[in-house]
Amino acid sequence: MQSSFLKVFYTGLLCLLGIALQIHAAAPDKTAIDGLVKRVLKEQAAHFETAFIPQENGKDVFELESSNGKILLKGSNGLSIASALNYYLHNYAHCDVSWNGTNLQLPQPLPVVDAKVHKTTPYKYRYYLNYCTFNYTISWWKWERWQWEIDWMALNGINMPLALTGQNSIWDRVYKSLGFTDKDLSNFYSGPTYFNWFWMGNLDGWGGPLPQSFMKGHEALQKQILERERSLGMTPVLPAFTGHVPPAFKDKFPNAKVKRTNWDAGFDDVYILDPADPMFAEIGRRFMEEEIRTFGTDHLYSSDTFNENLPPTNDSVFLHQISKKIYQSMAAVDTAAIWVMQGWMFHYQKDFWHPAQIQALMTAAPDDKMVVLDLFSENYPVWNRTEAYYGKQWIWCMLQNFGGNISMYGRMDNVANDPANALHDPSAKNLVGIGVTPEGIEQNPVMYALMLENVWRDQPIDLNTWLKAYALRRYGRQNDAAEKAWDILHRTVYSGGLTEGGPESILTGRPGFKTETTRTKTMLAYDPAALIPAWDNMMQAAAALKSSDGFQYDVVDVTRQVLANYADSLQQQFARAYQKNDAVAFKKYSGQFLVLLTDMDRLLATRKDFLLGRWLQDAKGWGTTPAEKALFEKNARDLVTLWGDKNSELHEYSSRQWSGLINNFYKARWAQFFTYVNTCMQQHKPVDEKYFDEKMKDWEWQWVNGHELYAATPKGNAVATAQELYNKYSGVIKATYNN
């Protein structure tokens, strides 16, 4: 008996020791933070020194001061020191680091910090990324782009990044250890732009077959990502087993409890293993052991078995048991495991997830072993209708973007006030962090800058003051017209509206006469005429600010938004002309619509941020053979147009106002529609929009499978082109809205 006990004890001890050896030490890494400072500041880094100081009450802290001609950056870890640097850049040097325009023109001599700055974050966790971000934006990133993003994360105090890259290699080894072959798995792995929905158990195989070269490349990339994130003091969130199994699983293990489920988006059924089945614990154990062996761990694991997939029953006992099994499958391998759960389903499928069902799911894990992401707090918070997740740790998150759509949008007032208000609200209970959870990034940089301003403060943000400071650091100099523009942007495009992300323009929708399509929602939360003064002020500021990278992006984006809104007006003008059977007016307004799209494409070609060619080039860059390059290009084209096959229900969900895409996809589609309508009017026949849609499906699918080249580098002068289009359109747009 004693011998048996000791055998079990020592086996368990060795298992835990083995895991512990894979856990990366959290000791401060001065080399890592000094490397970041040098990457950001280059030769100016010589004027900065770094040092570590202890946390305060378990929370990260930084200090900033001047001493002996140096700027001293101190923090409780690398990312805290990076945050001190960012604070200096923003508040002393008036500089800014952003996806869409960076200003690092530091004053000479460097401004002195006249009194020591001391900041402590009120949040244990500062979460970043969404499963969807890994496809709508990150699909093709290589190390150089990831390194920049990790530096940006550190500068902004993020310490809890979602880390999904390289996961397919783990799946591959685990399922092959269970006897599955490459043939068995060939219709399981999705293509590179559909990983997220594969990982969440929504679809199998679409966009594949996935080459082994891509799996190996992403595994190596993930090791670089995790090493850098950990060296800066971050604790990445790795995935755990969710129950998603290959289609061949039901044949190889016929006695296993496997249920078919469907995402209801036009894809085949997928197979989910019942967590009550003994195989669930076995596969979960193998998955986590292989993951920890490969990537190490920081004890944070993401698992969303029911993300946009309804459970088979709403029985509370069943849901509690399922949740308990999922948590136990993690804890069996890592006793320190903390389950990080997206709360998206509680909003997305709120008719199913009532308080009893949510509570049943929540209470299956100890309160200190679960963190819930209130994924859409700025629009549709769930915490305030679930008793703050029934005592679980939870994080207030800004979702902001859906599908990577290009649209100026945000809820500035909510983001400036709600996190701090929740922090001091007793009913928020175990609020432990804030997070940024967009489906796509690299747009609306102001919203992310504003949200992350909350990291090192516990009081609401005065937007009037903040926006003036933002414009100063973004453009490198104070400008009255630019400040007026931002005040107007705050009250128009950034006033929100209870929509799921920013409104699109009808220009990206399938052609027709209606103001909206299934996936193209055009309802604005503001009067489009009210945005024009922001455009006026941006153009007034152009002469003074034209050399600023951030201003160049912003003036293009504001111009794009005004023109996109005007496209909606033109569409209704040619729709009315058709209804009145006025062929002359129809040709006039439809012709103006096509010219407008041509002009928008030319405007967007001036900035790297809006290039289809860049997205496609990055996709092909992962290919090691012509066949792989072709597969990846098809993935890249498909995601941002049809999303699936030619009958996809998700077409235009990920629409992008990008140069190349506007001219060669959206405008080409509208041109065919206008030709069809003109023919119908000449023949006195009614337009059959359903007939045209069916015709377009074949053309769209041909485009998805095409290989024509698009510019991957900017062309033209951003400010000059915006000025040209302002001169051309501002008068006519104002007249249109006045009428």
Side-chain angles (χ1 to χ4, degrees):
M1 185 80 174
Q2 186 178 15
S3 173
S4 177
F5 169 78
L6 289 173
K7 181 178 180 181
V8 171
F9 173 78
Y10 284 117
T11 300
L13 184 63
L14 287 170
C15 180
L16 289 173
L17 179 61
I19 293 173
L21 289 173
Q22 294 295 327
I23 298 170
H24 289 66
D29 187 334
K30 196 169 188 307
T31 301
I33 185 57
D34 287 346
L36 180 150
V37 173
K38 289 177 183 177
R39 285 191 298 276
V40 173
L41 297 178
K42 298 181 172 56
E43 66 275 1
Q44 296 288 350
H47 301 292
F48 292 76
E49 291 185 353
T50 64
F52 294 104
I53 55 177
Q55 286 187 328
E56 292 183 4
N57 300 316
K59 301 290 177 58
D60 283 339
V61 61
F62 75 72
E63 291 181 350
L64 175 67
E65 60 183 314
S66 291
S67 178
N68 298 322
K70 298 273 190 175
I71 308 298
L72 303 184
L73 309 171
K74 300 178 182 179
S76 47
N77 48 33
L79 64 93
S80 299
I81 293 174
S83 296
L85 171 59
N86 208 34
Y87 189 91
Y88 179 82
L89 291 174
H90 286 181
N91 297 283
Y92 292 88
H94 305 305
C95 291
D96 191 61
V97 177
S98 160
W99 302 310
N100 311 111
T102 287
N103 165 34
L104 280 173
Q105 298 299 314
L106 276 71
Q108 295 300 325
L110 290 175
V112 172
V113 182
D114 50 7
K116 180 188 287 188
V117 176
H118 181 96
K119 296 283 184 180
T120 303
T121 177
Y123 302 105
K124 178 180 179 181
Y125 296 123
R126 288 86 68 190
Y127 183 85
Y128 184 48
L129 294 172
N130 180 314
Y131 271 73
C132 298
T133 330
F134 282 83
N135 283 140
Y136 286 133
T137 301
I138 299 177
S139 291
W140 313 114
W141 285 7
K142 292 188 176 181
W143 172 241
E144 183 180 6
R145 180 63 186 84
W146 262 112
Q147 177 171 250
W148 189 98
E149 193 73 12
I150 295 168
D151 287 349
W152 179 88
M153 288 157 52
L155 289 168
N156 286 284
I158 291 163
N159 70 345
M160 190 187 191
L162 184 62
L164 301 178
T165 306
Q167 188 184 146
N168 282 16
S169 289
I170 308 301
W171 284 84
D172 201 55
R173 289 196 283 272
V174 167
Y175 282 119
K176 284 178 178 175
S177 75
L178 291 166
F180 289 83
T181 64
D182 284 330
K183 183 178 180 181
D184 293 329
L185 301 173
S186 62
N187 62 346
F188 184 45
Y189 304 130
S190 69
T193 55
Y194 299 94
F195 283 164
N196 139 59
W197 300 278
F198 166 74
W199 291 332
M200 291 191 294
N202 301 134
L203 56 76
D204 285 340
W206 183 256
L210 185 68
Q212 284 287 332
S213 63
F214 197 93
M215 289 193 204
K216 292 175 182 176
H218 263 216
E219 180 178 341
L221 178 59
Q222 174 75 327
K223 290 176 180 178
Q224 287 181 287
I225 293 167
L226 292 172
E227 188 281 328
R228 180 61 56 79
E229 289 177 347
R230 288 166 173 154
S231 72
L232 292 169
M234 300 177 192
T235 52
V237 180
L238 295 173
F241 180 60
T242 62
H244 184 202
V245 295
F249 194 91
K250 62 186 183 304
D251 302 317
K252 192 169 289 290
F253 299 100
N255 296 323
K257 296 177 182 177
V258 178
K259 75 179 183 76
R260 297 166 69 109
T261 186
N262 196 285
W263 190 33
D264 293 328
F267 296 94
D268 293 338
D269 291 345
V270 297
Y271 297 86
I272 305 296
L273 181 61
D274 188 332
D277 190 288
M279 285 293 293
F280 188 98
E282 174 63 17
I283 298 174
R285 177 186 64 78
R286 292 189 186 211
F287 181 88
M288 287 190 61
E289 287 179 349
E290 181 61 32
E291 180 173 61
I292 292 170
R293 184 161 44 245
T294 305
F295 298 133
T297 186
D298 296 272
H299 311 301
L300 300 171
Y301 304 99
S302 174
S303 179
D304 298 287
T305 296
F306 302 124
N307 184 73
E308 297 189 6
N309 283 327
L310 285 175
T313 174
N314 66 357
D315 178 71
S316 297
V317 174
F318 171 82
L319 292 172
H320 180 82
Q321 290 300 321
I322 289 291
S323 184
K324 191 173 182 179
K325 292 285 186 182
I326 294 170
Y327 169 68
Q328 288 175 342
S329 73
M330 301 178 196
V333 177
D334 182 355
T335 56
I338 297 175
W339 182 0
V340 180
M341 178 192 291
Q342 294 185 130
W344 171 246
M345 58 189 171
F346 305 134
H347 159 69
Y348 183 76
Q349 293 166 323
K350 56 182 179 292
D351 291 338
F352 177 92
W353 292 101
H354 296 293
Q357 285 72 37
I358 298 174
Q359 190 168 9
L361 205 67
M362 296 288 100
T363 54
D367 287 351
D368 64 341
K369 297 299 184 182
M370 179 180 282
V371 178
V372 184
L373 304 174
D374 198 69
L375 213 69
F376 203 7
S377 303
E378 85 275 26
N379 276 48
Y380 295 103
V382 174
W383 71 268
N384 56 9
R385 60 181 176 86
T386 57
E387 298 180 32
Y389 294 105
Y390 306 105
K392 289 294 180 288
Q393 301 175 93
W394 68 277
I395 295 176
W396 196 104
C397 299
M398 179 188 80
L399 206 164
Q400 166 64 26
N401 177 273
F402 286 78
N405 299 137
I406 306 298
S407 175
M408 295 189 79
Y409 170 79
R411 295 176 64 82
M412 273 191 175
D413 290 300
N414 295 80
V415 170
N417 294 286
D418 292 358
N421 290 339
L423 187 66
H424 297 291
D425 187 340
S427 67
K429 296 182 180 178
N430 208 3
L431 170 60
V432 295
I434 55 174
V436 179
T437 54
E439 287 196 354
I441 55 174
E442 297 182 340
Q443 26 58 20
N444 290 298
V446 66
M447 290 306 304
Y448 299 91
L450 177 62
M451 179 62 194
L452 292 167
E453 188 77 21
N454 288 293
V455 168
W456 296 98
R457 60 188 299 146
D458 65 356
Q459 296 299 316
I461 299 165
D462 182 310
L463 270 172
N464 291 330
T465 302
W466 188 87
L467 281 170
K468 289 179 181 179
Y470 176 77
L472 171 58
R473 76 187 198 222
R474 184 156 172 78
Y475 304 146
R477 59 189 296 184
Q478 190 274 335
N479 184 278
D480 289 340
E483 290 179 1
K484 290 177 184 176
W486 275 105
D487 180 60
I488 296 163
L489 292 172
H490 168 209
R491 292 184 279 107
T492 53
V493 293
Y494 293 118
S495 64
L498 288 174
T499 58
E500 292 197 347
E504 294 91 29
S505 168
I506 198 63
L507 73 89
T508 65
R510 273 208 181 128
F513 295 127
K514 295 178 181 177
T515 57
E516 294 190 341
T517 70
T518 304
R519 296 289 173 182
T520 305
K521 305 301 183 185
T522 61
M523 182 64 69
L524 302 177
Y526 59 93
D527 181 348
L531 180 60
I532 306 303
W535 196 24
D536 294 337
N537 278 286
M538 291 296 278
M539 298 317 305
Q540 288 176 30
L545 303 180
K546 62 184 179 182
S547 62
S548 160
D549 189 23
F551 180 80
Q552 290 168 19
Y553 173 85
D554 290 344
V555 76
V556 168
D557 202 26
V558 171
T559 303
R560 178 207 55 75
Q561 189 64 56
V562 171
L563 297 182
N565 292 349
Y566 179 53
D568 295 347
S569 298
L570 275 177
Q571 187 245 12
Q572 283 307 290
Q573 287 178 297
F574 67 66
R576 284 192 293 271
Y578 168 75
Q579 291 162 3
K580 294 177 181 179
N581 198 32
D582 187 340
V584 173
F586 181 82
K587 288 182 180 179
K588 172 186 174 182
Y589 293 124
S590 61
Q592 290 177 356
F593 187 88
L594 293 179
V595 170
L596 177 68
L597 266 58
T598 301
D599 285 337
M600 287 183 67
D601 193 279
R602 184 162 54 89
L603 170 73
L604 298 175
T606 65
R607 287 290 307 184
K608 64 178 178 58
D609 318 79
F610 301 108
L611 299 179
L612 170 64
R614 191 163 167 246
W615 172 253
L616 298 181
Q617 179 177 273
D618 289 348
K620 289 181 283 189
W622 273 96
T624 61
T625 67
E628 288 182 6
K629 290 179 185 292
L631 176 67
F632 299 161
E633 181 180 5
K634 181 178 178 180
N635 267 250
R637 286 169 173 255
D638 196 17
L639 185 72
V640 299
T641 53
L642 299 185
W643 213 104
D645 64 17
K646 70 177 186 177
N647 296 307
S648 172
E649 300 169 20
L650 295 174
H651 62 86
E652 277 83 52
Y653 179 84
S654 184
S655 63
R656 312 291 173 97
Q657 291 178 37
W658 280 348
S659 179
L661 199 56
I662 289 182
N663 248 352
N664 291 65
F665 188 81
Y666 300 129
K667 191 185 83 169
R669 211 163 52 171
W670 279 104
Q672 293 177 74
F673 178 70
F674 295 147
T675 298
Y676 170 62
V677 174
N678 279 319
T679 300
C680 289
M681 294 180 77
Q682 290 169 6
Q683 298 176 354
H684 305 290
K685 294 180 180 179
V687 168
D688 185 341
E689 291 189 39
K690 290 186 178 179
Y691 160 78
F692 181 79
D693 274 359
E694 289 301 315
K695 180 182 176 183
M696 275 297 94
K697 288 179 181 180
D698 290 329
W699 180 87
E700 291 164 347
W701 189 241
Q702 184 178 7
W703 187 91
V704 166
N705 286 275
H707 298 287
E708 67 277 8
L709 296 176
Y710 296 91
T713 55
K715 179 181 179 181
N717 182 290
V719 177
T721 306
Q723 183 72 62
E724 175 197 336
L725 298 183
Y726 175 81
N727 295 340
K728 178 177 181 178
Y729 285 104
S730 61
V732 69
I733 293 175
K734 290 172 184 177
T736 298
Y737 292 151
N738 286 337
N739 293 330

